[in-house]
């Protein structure tokens, strides 16, 4: 078996040599093409948190900050649906077929989505917490909650309309990353593996901590995500 914790040292060296210690990952929210629709564009950051007091990673960016920017730049227009652009993760399966799905509840790994809260942990206070099995959707639901998504007049965030399929979206979750019951488009939130059409400009953006800080977190916790 590949010794994963030792492999992390090689990953660290490659990342520092390629990207540099101060590299950051951006997560952006844009207007969608439908009235009241917003698009959470995942840039690859797994360290997002719902809020500063609900964060696992050091100096993590927050959904709360994103939502504050979005509400200000929407100018009072209500949000009716949230689509998560998960295209950076690629078009294929984001959970490696050779991994055990039991390792999700075991706290070791989950789907490698373009955007996650606390590396997919259900409990950000616990490094070995069970992970959610649909990190991108949980992040989208957290944003929907934070912007006060309007259920009236919602188009349901239909995944098919936005280039996704029903397999991309599962049960929605709360801000802590806990999976909850719901259908594929629970509360107007959906996930697309394909790039989602948006209007020009940004409604909000946050950046991760610098790479050297994220690498320190990764090594201290032997964090697979």
């Amino acid at each position: 078996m590949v010794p994963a914790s030792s492999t992390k040292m090689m990953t660290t060296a490659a990342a520092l040599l390629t990207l540099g210690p101060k590299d950051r990952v951006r997560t952006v929210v844009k207007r969608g093409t439908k009235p009241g629709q917003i698009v959470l564009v995942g840039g690859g950051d797994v360290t997002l948190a719902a809020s500063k007091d609900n964060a696992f990673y050091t100096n993590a960016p927050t959904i709360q900050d994103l939502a504050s920017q979005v509400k200000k730049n929407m100018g009072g227009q209500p949000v009716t649906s949230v689509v998560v652009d998960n295209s950076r993760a690629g078009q294929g399966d984001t959970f490696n077929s050779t991994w055990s799905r039991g390792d999700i509840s075991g706290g070791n790994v989950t789907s490698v989505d373009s955007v996650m809260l606390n590396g997919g942990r259900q409990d950000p206070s616990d490094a070995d917490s069970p992970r959610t099995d649909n990190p991108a959707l949980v992040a989208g639901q957290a944003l929907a909650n934070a912007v006060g998504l309007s259920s009236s007049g919602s188009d349901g965030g239909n995944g098919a309309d936005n280039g996704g399929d029903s397999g991309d979206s599962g049960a929605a979750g709360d801000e802590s990353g806990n999976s909850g019951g719901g259908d594929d488009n629970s509360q107007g939130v959906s996930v697309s593996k394909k790039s989602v059409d948006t209007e020009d400009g940004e409604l909000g953006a946050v950046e991760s901590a610098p790479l050297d800080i994220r690498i320190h977190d990764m090594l201290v916790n032997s964090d697979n995500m």
Side-chain angles (χ1 to χ4, degrees):
M1 305 217 19
V2 176
S5 295
S6 298
T7 303
K8 288 185 182 72
M9 297 301 296
M10 303 304 293
T11 303
T12 294
L16 287 171
L17 287 169
T18 304
L19 302 171
K22 299 307 175 186
D23 178 78
R24 296 174 186 261
V25 181
R26 271 182 114 238
T27 304
V28 176
V29 177
K30 296 186 176 184
R31 287 184 187 271
T33 56
K34 299 178 180 179
Q37 182 187 72
I38 63 173
V39 179
L40 176 61
V41 184
D45 192 1
V46 306
T47 71
L48 272 170
S51 61
K52 290 294 185 185
D53 58 0
N54 193 21
F56 176 78
Y57 295 100
T58 305
N59 298 334
T62 68
I63 290 288
Q64 190 175 61
D65 185 5
L66 264 179
S68 177
Q69 296 176 54
V70 169
K71 287 189 282 189
K72 178 180 179 181
N73 291 322
M74 289 284 282
Q77 181 184 10
V79 175
T80 57
S81 65
V82 175
V83 183
V84 182
D85 185 333
N86 199 27
S87 60
R88 187 182 175 100
Q91 303 302 308
D93 191 350
T94 57
F95 191 85
N96 192 305
S97 62
T98 67
W99 297 344
S100 168
R101 296 202 71 84
D103 282 339
I104 297 176
S105 60
N108 295 312
V109 74
T110 186
S111 295
V112 186
D113 286 345
S114 297
V115 56
M116 299 187 191
L117 298 187
N118 302 307
R121 290 172 178 81
Q122 294 187 26
D123 179 4
S125 68
D126 180 6
D128 299 319
S129 164
R131 313 278 174 147
T132 176
D133 62 1
N134 201 328
L137 186 67
V138 171
Q141 186 62 62
L143 179 61
N145 293 342
V147 298
L149 179 128
S150 171
S151 58
S152 61
S154 171
D155 62 13
N158 189 293
D161 289 344
N162 296 297
D165 57 49
S166 60
D168 295 339
S169 301
D174 61 25
E175 288 189 2
S176 65
N178 296 311
S179 295
D183 57 27
D184 287 347
N185 301 305
S186 179
Q187 300 184 38
V189 181
S190 63
V191 178
S192 175
K193 287 185 179 179
K194 298 178 181 178
S195 181
V196 180
D197 290 336
T198 61
E199 295 184 5
D200 293 336
E202 298 176 354
L203 290 171
V206 292
E207 290 188 334
S208 70
L211 182 61
D212 54 358
I213 291 177
R214 287 180 284 132
I215 279 177
H216 181 267
D217 281 353
M218 179 186 79
L219 294 177
V220 166
N221 295 287
S222 193
D223 189 346
N224 296 316
M225 299 317 302

